[in-house]
Amino acid sequence: MQEILVLYYSHRGSVRALAEHVAAGIHQVPGARARVRTVPRVSAVCEAVEDEIPADGPPYVEIDDLEQCIGLALGSPTRFGNMAAPMKYFLDGLSGAWVNGVLEGKPGCVFTSSASQHGGQESTLLSMTIPLFHHGMLVLGLPFSESALGRTRSGGTPYGASHVSGPDGDAVLTEDEIELAQAQGRRLAEVALKLAGSR
């Protein structure tokens, strides 16, 4: 089995729900398996540290996860049209992986959640692809052959799967959001396996 890293940060559960469905889509492709990881919160208080193991959910990501994966799905909530600080902090620390070409030639995709329909999802998704380009990754979106893109009244963009949580932070995904998240996982897995087989 070839592993694809699903790496996310989630504050209220919406991005975690998307990550679970992206992973489910990966598992639908024979020969592929999702390795789900998260990143710790960051703090303005320098002495504050997270436990080495999260209280619940998947483990924190390590460099081995990046080295061993054949593809990467990256998820973060929207913060003023950009990714959340914990994910940006993690990506900013990957200069060693960049120098060594750890992610070069691997496919990647992105996903996000925001409280409102116009909360900056697409700018967040686009800005999340910039580090992937710098790492030499091949960035995948969602094609309009996915019919849910044309009918969704909630989340879902051609730049990546998304969720609209509303003002109360509802982490329950709509059917279209689930369909698109799983389609994104399947597409990433299919492309990653083809690329891995050609190396």
Side-chain angles (χ1 to χ4, degrees), residues 35-51:
R35 181 187 295 196
V36 182
R37 297 290 185 265
T38 190
V39 297
R41 293 182 184 212
V42 294
S43 173
V45 181
C46 294
E47 293 78 21
V49 295
E50 287 282 343
D51 293 333

Side-chain angles (χ1 to χ4, degrees), residues 144-163:
F144 275 92
S145 56
E146 295 296 337
S147 59
L149 271 183
R151 68 172 180 263
T152 183
R153 294 296 177 260
S154 50
T157 81
Y159 309 109
S162 65
H163 169 64

Side-chain angles (χ1 to χ4, degrees), residues 4 9 19 22 27 36 71 92 101 114 117 119 152-153 165 174 179-180 195 198:
I4 294 164
Y9 171 72
V22 170
H27 290 147
V36 182
D92 284 348
S114 64
Q117 187 74 36
T152 183
R153 294 296 177 260
S165 65
T174 67
E179 183 177 328
L180 291 168
L195 290 171
S198 66

Side-chain angles (χ1 to χ4, degrees), residues 115-136:
S116 67
Q117 187 74 36
H118 303 289
Q121 287 189 357
E122 292 186 345
S123 62
T124 298
L125 292 168
L126 289 170
S127 67
M128 287 174 67
T129 65
I130 294 171
L132 305 188
F133 283 119
H134 277 265
H135 280 275

Side-chain angles (χ1 to χ4, degrees), residues 6-193:
V6 179
L7 176 61
Y8 72 91
Y9 171 72
S10 188
H11 180 63
R12 297 173 77 179
S14 296
V15 177
R16 180 177 178 173
L18 282 168
E20 290 167 353
H21 285 289
V22 170
I26 291 167
H27 290 147
Q28 292 167 13
V29 178
R33 183 174 67 189
R35 181 187 295 196
V36 182
R37 297 290 185 265
T38 190
V39 297
R41 293 182 184 212
V42 294
S43 173
V45 181
C46 294
E47 293 78 21
V49 295
E50 287 282 343
D51 293 333
E52 288 188 22
I53 300 172
D56 67 348
Y60 292 131
V61 67
E62 297 179 356
I63 193 66
D64 286 353
D65 298 315
L66 297 171
E67 292 170 347
Q68 295 167 10
C69 74
I70 63 166
L72 170 66
L74 191 68
S76 170
T78 293
R79 294 291 184 268
F80 303 105
N82 208 330
M83 73 184 89
M87 184 58 72
K88 180 72 166 61
Y89 183 80
F90 170 75
L91 293 172
D92 284 348
L94 292 182
S95 57
W98 171 72
V99 167
N100 293 315
V102 167
L103 295 172
E104 191 171 323
K106 297 178 182 180
C109 64
V110 291
F111 55 97
T112 193
S113 176
S114 64
S116 67
Q117 187 74 36
H118 303 289
Q121 287 189 357
E122 292 186 345
S123 62
T124 298
L125 292 168
L126 289 170
S127 67
M128 287 174 67
T129 65
I130 294 171
L132 305 188
F133 283 119
H134 277 265
H135 280 275
M137 298 193 78
L138 308 171
V139 178
L140 303 175
L142 276 167
F144 275 92
S145 56
E146 295 296 337
S147 59
L149 271 183
R151 68 172 180 263
T152 183
R153 294 296 177 260
S154 50
T157 81
Y159 309 109
S162 65
H163 169 64
V164 179
S165 65
D168 297 326
D170 186 357
V172 177
L173 307 185
T174 67
E175 288 183 17
D176 289 335
E177 291 170 342
I178 291 169
E179 183 177 328
L180 291 168
Q182 292 186 5
Q184 184 165 337
R186 283 193 306 274
R187 186 164 198 246
L188 177 62
E190 289 164 358
V191 171
L193 287 170

